[in-house]
Amino acid sequence: DAGITQSPRHKVTETGTPVTLRCHQTENHRYMYWYRQDPGHGLRLIHYSYGVKDTDKGEVSDGYSVSRSKTEDFLLTLESATSSQTSVYFCAISESLQGNYNEQFFGPGTRLTVL
Amino acid sequence: AQSVAQPEDQVNVAEGNPLTVKCTYSVSGNPYLFWYVQYPNRGLQFLLKYITGDNLVKGSYGFEAEFNKSQTSFHLKKPSALVSDSALYFCAVRAAYSGAGSYQLTFGKGTKLSVIP
């Protein structure tokens, strides 16, 4: 999985509790992404980062925040988890070249269950 | 807005037969197109991409894909399917321009490929 780790790999939590997922890369890639995968929806982008402290919203950003204080780490926070945020979360990275057509490499995923 | 359609939720093919997984897309301007594969309980793995040039793109594990601009399609193909090819396949698209939101890759909903021994 291309030098990308995600932690935790599995988590069960209760509605209303805060949750932070961590993505760590050893590839020194500039871009990092958080996706969620749900049956019938494929992968949907939550937030992405194009550098340290540079982030932007994706398609389904409501209820999520992110932070990137170092090149290698990208954190996804659910401030108050809801059952609709039960999903599998994937982190991805990509390198930066002119035209930005580089493929993304994905981590192993975190399965989050909100009860 | 950009979008991807994978019209088949599931494709079944006999081992040794050719396989095709279909993908059509919609973007403003020229597309960058990608195929990924996902095995159970794993992350997505990159298979191949089309950026420009030859419409037939060759990728990992014997897969190839044909870009057809007039039909806005990017179908994934393999001449002879293996049981180990059974997995979930995703097509993805990004517009080939540099601007706000251009980093966003839009994925299809996925097609489950089952190769029957």
Side-chain angles (χ1 to χ4, degrees), chain A residues 31 37 40 100 103-104, chain B residues 36 38 49 90 94 103 109:
Chain A
Y31 296 101
Q37 182 179 23
N100 194 33
E103 58 270 26
Q104 296 178 14
Chain B
Y36 287 85
Q38 184 181 32
K49 65 182 177 184
F90 290 96
R94 174 191 297 141
Y103 311 113
K109 295 181 180 181

Side-chain angles (χ1 to χ4, degrees), chain A residues 35-68:
Chain A
Y35 292 89
R36 60 177 290 174
Q37 182 179 23
D38 304 290
H41 290 278
L43 274 78
R44 293 179 290 174
L45 183 66
I46 304 171
H47 283 278
Y48 65 96
S49 170
Y50 45 97
V52 174
K53 299 186 178 179
D54 292 323
T55 65
D56 205 350
K57 296 179 179 179
E59 178 187 357
V60 290
S61 59
D62 287 349
Y64 301 95
S65 62
V66 290
S67 65
R68 191 169 179 198

Side-chain angles (χ1 to χ4, degrees), chain B residues 33-35 46-60 62-67 74-77:
Chain B
L33 293 154
F34 303 81
W35 274 102
F46 169 74
L47 277 179
L48 52 79
K49 65 182 177 184
Y50 171 83
I51 303 302
T52 187
D54 193 345
N55 289 343
L56 185 64
V57 178
K58 294 187 182 297
S60 306
F63 284 93
E64 57 188 28
E66 185 169 12
F67 170 64
F74 189 55
H75 301 329
L76 182 70
K77 300 180 180 182

Side-chain angles (χ1 to χ4, degrees), chain B residues 19-109:
Chain B
L19 69 87
T20 298
V21 183
K22 296 180 180 178
C23 170
T24 59
Y25 66 90
S26 174
V27 289
S28 297
N30 293 322
Y32 293 154
L33 293 154
F34 303 81
W35 274 102
Y36 287 85
V37 60
Q38 184 181 32
Y39 298 100
N41 301 312
R42 298 291 299 275
L44 276 69
Q45 297 179 28
F46 169 74
L47 277 179
L48 52 79
K49 65 182 177 184
Y50 171 83
I51 303 302
T52 187
D54 193 345
N55 289 343
L56 185 64
V57 178
K58 294 187 182 297
S60 306
Y61 312 120
F63 284 93
E64 57 188 28
E66 185 169 12
F67 170 64
N68 187 317
K69 187 172 184 177
S70 63
Q71 296 186 5
T72 61
S73 67
F74 189 55
H75 301 329
L76 182 70
K77 300 180 180 182
K78 187 174 183 181
S80 179
L82 301 172
V83 172
S84 57
D85 293 330
S86 298
L88 190 57
Y89 290 81
F90 290 96
C91 181
V93 69
R94 174 191 297 141
Y97 66 88
S98 180
S102 64
Y103 311 113
Q104 297 197 32
L105 199 59
T106 298
F107 285 84
K109 295 181 180 181

Side-chain angles (χ1 to χ4, degrees), chain A:
Chain A
D1 291 317
I4 309 169
T5 56
Q6 293 185 230
S7 57
R9 293 294 312 280
H10 302 272
K11 187 171 181 65
V12 179
T13 190
E14 294 186 350
T15 297
T17 60
V19 176
T20 295
L21 308 182
R22 181 183 184 235
C23 176
H24 178 79
Q25 62 147 327
T26 58
E27 307 294 328
N28 200 34
H29 283 4
R30 178 181 176 186
Y31 296 101
M32 299 186 75
Y33 313 81
W34 276 108
Y35 292 89
R36 60 177 290 174
Q37 182 179 23
D38 304 290
H41 290 278
L43 274 78
R44 293 179 290 174
L45 183 66
I46 304 171
H47 283 278
Y48 65 96
S49 170
Y50 45 97
V52 174
K53 299 186 178 179
D54 292 323
T55 65
D56 205 350
K57 296 179 179 179
E59 178 187 357
V60 290
S61 59
D62 287 349
Y64 301 95
S65 62
V66 290
S67 65
R68 191 169 179 198
S69 58
K70 298 185 291 184
T71 298
E72 58 266 35
D73 289 326
F74 192 32
L75 303 181
L76 177 71
T77 297
L78 291 66
E79 301 290 347
S80 178
T82 67
S83 59
S84 65
Q85 293 175 313
T86 293
S87 186
V88 181
Y89 291 85
F90 287 99
C91 175
I93 64 175
S94 67
E95 188 45 275
S96 166
L97 284 177
Q98 186 175 8
N100 194 33
Y101 49 76
N102 291 293
E103 58 270 26
Q104 296 178 14
F105 297 98
F106 285 78
T110 294
R111 184 173 297 275
L112 176 67
T113 303
V114 183
L115 300 176

